[in-house]
Amino acid sequence: MDIQRIWRDSLDLWGTLDQHPMLHAAIGLAVLLLISLVIGRLARFLVLHGARLLARQPALKWLDDLRNNKVFHRLAQTTPSLVLQFGLKLVPELSDTAQHFLGNVALAFTLLFMTMALSCLLDALLDIYARTEHARTRSIKGYVQLAKMMLWIFASIVIVATLIDRSPLLLLSGLGAMSAVLLLVYKDTLLSFVASVQLTSNDMLHVGDWIEMPQVGADGDVVDITLHTVKVQNFDKTIVSIPTWRLMSESFRNYRGMQQSGGRRIKRSLFIDAAGVRFLTREEEQRLTQVSLLRDYLAGKRQELQSWNEALGPVAELSANRRKLTNIGTFRAFALAYLKNHPNVHPNMTCMVRQMQTTAEGVPLEIYCFTTTTAWAEYERIQGDIFDYLLAVLPEFGLSLYQQPSGNDMRVGLSGRVSQEPVPRRLEDMSEA
């Protein structure tokens, strides 16, 4: 009895809805929306659960990247709009105009979520590429960002065209008139894209390169290369962001060649006090002959000078006419022999000790060589050891470094002068005299 009454009430309600078509259509839309949401949640659960199960296989680990970047999540979000799009035809009493408008809105949402899924897919591909060997030298992050930007521009045009029920070609033709505005708005993007292509094609910059660009305060390792910026981590752990186009329009120094060569240059001078430069005495020559690094040099040099002086004849009696060994020249030969026998100086790269133009600070002797390592701390240790030894051995050649007088030197000098001056007599003593 009750069931029959409920059935009759339902028929009466349905007949009442037939008399109100808008209410009938609204209820149908609500039911369709509820069904689409339920199907969407179910599709999301099935897709994510299936991807999680498949990712457990070693050969399908790349599915974790897709899942972590929400590719499957975005794809599942297209299900409700697809259900709405194809279910509108089943809604009773729905006018053709409303059906067409709501169908366009549902299609726009489908395109939106598909675009988001493609954008997430590009991020996932970037993560997969980042684990390869090529990612250490060539970054594609800028190209991925450009692809995403083009994707969103194209998707925006299609979505707007769908909502206003116009052809996308009509909107694209209208963009021609806005080309000047677009070029102005995307000027930095276009410049950065061209710079990224040139940097990559010419192999000018890699992630991990040590670069130096003083005009922007950059001196460190490249940690990221994007479409618009290049991030450099300085050695003080600060981050400098450089616009990509500036790396093409301005100069910068890349130390990658030094790191790949296996040697790092030492180029530093010892400023010798010119007052100490003189000829060696016979006693000093005999003493320096005992130095193993100078034994061959002194033997050959002594024979060369003897032949030269004998060829001069009687005029060689005058000291100014004879050639002699100098302490600075002998020290220069000793420093060169020391560098060539040093275990941490690269034997296959340039190594020399040269005398530079004399300045007001003395006579510069430049040490020019390459270490066998490019590690910063080890390089500084080797350089310090070399100059420590050369500084300590200078007095053996009767040489000393030029050094400007310090405040303590001035005080010592003045105090010595005062102590040597006679003490003036008192007026009383002078009057008695």
Side-chain angles (χ1 to χ4, degrees), residues 4 8 12 22 51 112 226 248 261 344 354 362 367 405 414:
Q4 293 179 357
R8 286 196 302 269
D12 294 339
M22 294 185 62
L112 174 63
T226 63
M248 291 303 303
S261 67
N344 294 320
R354 57 177 181 168
I367 308 299
L414 291 175

Side-chain angles (χ1 to χ4, degrees), residues 41 44 83 110 125 144-145 148 156 159 163 177 180 187 252 261 319 323 372 381 425:
R41 297 291 293 183
R44 177 182 175 184
V83 173
T110 302
L125 294 177
V144 171
Q145 289 180 336
K148 290 172 64 176
S156 300
I159 290 173
L163 290 175
K187 180 190 69 172
F252 68 95
S261 67
S319 177
R323 288 180 59 188
T372 55
R381 183 194 65 80
R425 300 172 62 186

Side-chain angles (χ1 to χ4, degrees), residues 164-186:
I164 64 176
D165 198 18
R166 292 292 185 272
S167 173
L169 297 177
L170 182 63
L171 295 180
L172 289 175
S173 62
L175 291 177
M178 299 178 60
S179 58
V181 178
L182 292 176
L183 289 176
L184 182 62
V185 172
Y186 293 104

